[in-house]
Structures are given as C-alpha cells and as structure tokens.
Amino acid sequence: QVQLVESGGGLVQPGGSLRLSCVASGSISSIDVMGWYRQAPGKQREWVALIYRGGNTKNSDSVKGRFTISRDNAKNTVYLQMNSLKFEDTAIYYCQAYDGGYQSWGQGTQVTVSS
C-alpha cells in the first residue's frame, strides 16, 4: 500500500482558487482509483473527485464545473484544482488510493474559504 501526503491547503476568499497535491510513496499508475474526499466540521466525509486507472474522472455534483482532478504518473502525484471556491467548500481534504480492495489515506490538508 502506498503512503499519501497532501499539501496545498490554506485560507482563500470566496471565488478564489487553490490547487491541492497528493504525493504517493510509490507508483500510482496501476492503482485502480485515486480520489479526493473532504470532511467539514460536524459532517461525514464525502467524496469529491475520482480518477480511474484508465484516466476517466468523476466529480460530485457539489463541485462539478469548479474542481478538476488530474494526475502525473511520473511524479506519483494527484492534483485537485479548485476554482470558484465557496464558503461550503471549507473542510479537511483527504487523498485516497483504492486498489484491489485495499485503501490508503493521507493525513489531510485544511481548506478554509472565508472573507
């Protein structure tokens, strides 16, 4: 199983942008699914965006048209480009690797949208 380290979170104003990075300890090219999830205070963790081994992506309705997931296999890194951020995007963002029934999580990175 790979170890995952997220970075790129921070404080941003509504309408702003951030790019999160998730660096894996090993190759991600053969991992079934890499994903971004988030958990806001008092709420359950929810999925945000997924990228499959074949390159297909999927976004939740709450971020569709605003967030983009991508990956660079050569750098063992998955990205989440977040545009047009809203107050309700405030959460801890986690990276996940899912492969053959096994899953790994990063420690999370805080994103705060505030004026």
Side-chain angles (χ1 to χ4, degrees):
Q1 297 184 28
V2 294
Q3 294 182 344
L4 305 171
V5 178
E6 304 98 330
S7 62
L11 175 64
V12 62
Q13 292 185 340
S17 298
L18 282 174
R19 188 177 80 157
L20 306 183
S21 299
C22 170
V23 179
S25 60
S27 175
I28 64 170
S29 61
S30 62
I31 292 178
D32 290 340
V33 187
M34 296 292 299
W36 285 97
Y37 292 71
R38 67 186 181 186
Q39 187 166 18
K43 295 187 177 182
Q44 289 188 330
R45 190 173 298 187
E46 63 175 357
W47 74 279
V48 175
L50 306 173
I51 185 164
Y52 296 85
R53 185 173 59 224
N56 291 339
T57 63
K58 187 176 181 179
N59 285 2
S60 68
D61 288 342
S62 61
V63 305
K64 200 165 291 183
R66 300 188 298 122
F67 291 10
T68 303
I69 188 171
S70 63
R71 70 179 187 213
D72 185 336
N73 289 341
K75 296 182 178 180
N76 296 328
T77 302
V78 177
Y79 302 99
L80 185 67
Q81 178 66 44
M82 306 187 295
N83 298 328
S84 302
L85 283 160
K86 304 177 180 180
F87 293 118
E88 52 264 41
D89 294 319
T90 295
I92 299 174
Y93 284 71
Y94 298 90
C95 180
Q96 186 212 45
Y98 180 87
D99 190 42
Y102 293 95
Q103 55 182 331
S104 300
W105 293 91
Q107 84 290 346
T109 185
Q110 176 72 48
V111 172
T112 302
V113 184
S114 175
S115 55

